[in-house]
Amino acid sequence: MSSDICVHSWPCSYYLDLEKRWVPGKLSLMPHSLKFNTDRAGEALVGLPLSSITEIKKETSHFIFSAITILEKGHLKHWFSSLRPSRNVVFNVIEHFWRELLLSQPGATADATSSTMTRGKELTVLMARSQRRLEDTAKVLNHQGEQLDSVMRGLEKMESDLDVADRLLTELESPSWWPFSSKLWKTPIEAKPREGASVAGCEPFGKEGIVIKIPAVISQRTESHTKPGRLTILVSGLEIHDSNSLLLHRFEREDVDDIKVHSPYEVSIRQRFIGKPDVAYRVISAKMPEVIPILEVQFSKKIELLEDALVLRSTGTSSPAERSCSVWHAASGLMGCAEHHEQPTEGWEGRPLQLQRSQMFLSEGEAQELTQILSKLKGLALDAETELERQDEALDGITAAVDRATLTMDKHNRRMRKLT
């Protein structure tokens, strides 16, 4: 994700200490930096990385005007006032991204210390992320398969009930002197235990069915009231909690009407109601890029990428796609080298220089680790393919069972109309 992406911007005023005056402009938050541009000339007066910030506070200027102060390394203090829509909104969002960056810095510094192993670590991180995404998709597919099995068991129970209704209608249609009418009331013994089996099959997958949890800044309906909280992705829906882990709202998977992706870091979730206001939440998070692919899998027909998100995706997918493709070919070439303990000579002159360097910078241990990750990816992909094929067969069976049940109910309705 590029660092030039604007997460959010707010109109405000910046205090120039040298000129002793306030300058109106716009404060823009990037994933790793803050910028302030003036309204008149568009001049960038402030540009500081989030990693250089040591303190963010809420203060007042001249004891009247609410402001946000940002203390930079070197004891340089920046004042921002007249923040819209409110000071709390801007403070919560900036503090969230600053905190998440500080929490992720130890891993980043560790990567920076080993510059000679950068290429190998890039390959390993890329493959590990792909493995996590595929594991999350497998969890969703598994839960979806359990739901299909539960639907199939419900249809079998319905067919059993329709058989009982058929016996009852047959008895009502038969004359009173028919000696075998009392035997038609007997129902199969196994019809009742199936109800418990269907309930047991609806239990959530894993511990509460949790796929991923991320810290976020939550706002409901309007952006003027935001507060820190947490977004939890479940295989059966979504949950929104506040900073005290109190549940604000739970969206069941079938109750979500639409999810709009405003940017790689901001989404809105809505549930419509008839006769009362809709339930809508806006969620901003530094870890939202990890959640959007999962949402696209779970809510493929309900998610919508808005214009900003489409532009960002179109501009950002070309280089990562090429990079992932080259990385994949590099990894596959390295796997062959690790297995045969020799470098391939055919086509070496035609390969890019960057690929040759990447192979030189990879150790044998990293190649073995990549081999293990690739084998796991292959196994997960084959399992997902098998599960999809099984679900396709289950859907065909459900369709046929629904058609049979519909015909049987139509037949029973006609028989009941004749009896009345």
Side-chain angles (χ1 to χ4, degrees):
M1 200 64 65
S2 176
S3 59
D4 295 333
I5 296 174
C6 181
V7 177
H8 217 293
S9 60
W10 305 273
C12 68
S13 298
Y14 176 72
Y15 185 72
L16 285 175
D17 194 14
L18 297 177
E19 301 180 10
K20 305 298 180 182
R21 66 185 181 93
W22 291 91
V23 179
K26 184 177 289 186
L27 177 63
S28 300
L29 172 65
M30 311 296 177
H32 302 290
S33 63
L34 272 175
K35 293 182 181 179
F36 178 82
N37 297 323
T38 59
D39 284 339
R40 291 184 177 179
E43 181 185 359
L45 294 183
V46 178
L48 64 153
L50 295 179
S51 57
S52 66
I53 298 176
T54 58
E55 186 182 37
I56 302 177
K57 292 176 63 178
K58 299 178 185 178
E59 296 189 29
T60 56
S61 60
H62 304 290
F63 303 100
I64 299 175
F65 303 105
S66 61
I68 291 177
T69 59
I70 298 177
L71 186 62
E72 196 178 358
K73 292 179 180 177
H75 303 284
L76 181 60
K77 196 172 187 178
H78 303 276
W79 286 78
F80 299 94
S81 185
S82 302
L83 294 154
R84 294 195 298 268
S86 69
R87 179 182 66 172
N88 292 334
V89 172
V90 181
F91 179 81
N92 288 333
V93 176
I94 294 177
E95 186 191 37
H96 166 76
F97 277 82
W98 176 54
R99 184 186 294 116
E100 292 301 320
L101 182 65
L102 291 179
L103 292 175
S104 62
Q105 268 187 347
T109 54
D111 291 339
T113 55
S114 55
S115 58
T116 57
M117 309 301 290
T118 301
R119 182 61 60 184
K121 289 186 176 180
E122 282 185 7
L123 288 168
T124 305
V125 169
L126 178 63
M127 297 304 174
R129 287 177 180 174
S130 300
Q131 181 180 348
R132 287 196 297 269
R133 296 292 176 270
L134 199 53
E135 288 174 351
D136 294 340
T137 306
K139 289 181 181 179
V140 175
L141 283 175
N142 194 351
H143 181 70
Q144 182 174 297
E146 291 179 355
Q147 289 180 327
L148 291 175
D149 294 339
S150 177
V151 170
M152 195 64 192
R153 287 190 291 267
L155 287 171
E156 291 175 357
K157 178 67 167 53
M158 185 184 297
E159 288 182 355
S160 176
D161 294 339
L162 289 174
D163 290 339
V164 175
D166 179 67
R167 292 186 178 93
L168 179 59
L169 287 171
T170 303
E171 182 180 356
L172 292 174
E173 291 171 346
S174 62
S176 59
W177 50 266
W178 187 251
F180 304 104
S181 59
S182 60
K183 295 183 179 180
L184 297 173
W185 283 91
K186 294 182 179 179
T187 58
I189 301 176
E190 66 275 4
K192 190 173 182 180
R194 286 188 180 180
E195 185 178 357
S198 63
V199 174
C202 297
E203 295 180 357
F205 177 81
K207 183 181 179 181
E208 299 179 357
I210 296 175
V211 178
I212 188 174
K213 293 181 181 179
I214 60 168
V217 179
I218 311 296
S219 62
Q220 188 175 7
R221 294 194 183 96
T222 61
E223 297 182 6
S224 58
H225 298 86
T226 64
K227 52 187 175 181
R230 185 180 75 242
L231 174 65
T232 304
I233 310 297
L234 308 171
V235 292
S236 59
L238 306 171
E239 286 184 353
I240 295 178
H241 298 79
D242 62 6
S243 57
N244 297 323
S245 298
L246 295 176
L247 181 64
L248 298 178
H249 190 75
R250 176 185 173 93
F251 293 94
E252 295 295 338
R253 188 172 179 179
E254 61 274 7
D255 294 338
V256 175
D257 289 300
D258 60 70
I259 297 177
K260 294 182 179 180
V261 182
H262 301 273
S263 74
Y265 300 93
E266 184 176 2
V267 301
S268 60
I269 308 166
R270 183 171 61 170
Q271 180 181 358
R272 294 190 180 95
F273 291 96
I274 299 175
K276 60 180 181 178
D278 299 342
V279 176
Y281 282 90
R282 206 176 184 98
V283 184
I284 301 175
S285 176
K287 295 186 177 180
M288 192 61 71
E290 302 177 10
V291 175
I292 292 177
I294 301 175
L295 294 176
E296 288 179 339
V297 173
Q298 283 190 301
F299 306 94
S300 58
K301 296 182 180 180
K302 300 178 181 180
I303 194 168
E304 177 185 0
L305 297 177
L306 298 183
E307 185 176 357
D308 292 343
L310 286 173
V311 170
L312 293 172
R313 172 165 287 190
S314 62
T315 56
T317 50
S318 59
S319 58
E322 294 174 359
R323 184 167 59 253
S324 62
C325 182
S326 62
V327 166
W328 182 268
H329 287 298
S332 59
L334 284 166
M335 297 310 101
C337 295
E339 291 176 359
H340 296 89
H341 299 283
E342 60 181 3
Q343 293 184 353
T345 57
E346 296 181 1
W348 176 263
E349 297 179 356
R351 295 189 179 185
L353 180 61
Q354 185 178 2
L355 179 59
Q356 298 177 17
R357 290 178 179 176
S358 66
Q359 293 189 352
M360 291 162 50
F361 279 109
L362 282 172
S363 64
E364 185 177 355
E366 291 171 342
Q368 292 177 356
E369 186 176 359
L370 286 172
T371 305
Q372 295 176 358
I373 295 177
L374 287 171
S375 62
K376 291 180 181 178
L377 283 173
K378 181 179 179 181
L380 287 171
L382 292 175
D383 292 341
E385 182 181 6
T386 304
E387 179 64 19
L388 285 173
E389 291 177 354
R390 189 190 71 83
Q391 291 183 16
D392 288 339
E393 296 177 357
L395 285 173
D396 294 337
I398 289 173
T399 303
V402 169
D403 293 339
R404 289 195 305 269
T406 303
L407 293 174
T408 305
M409 285 189 290
D410 292 340
K411 180 181 176 182
H412 290 350
N413 288 333
R414 289 194 299 269
R415 295 171 65 183
M416 284 187 292
R417 281 195 293 268
K418 290 180 180 180
L419 291 173
T420 56

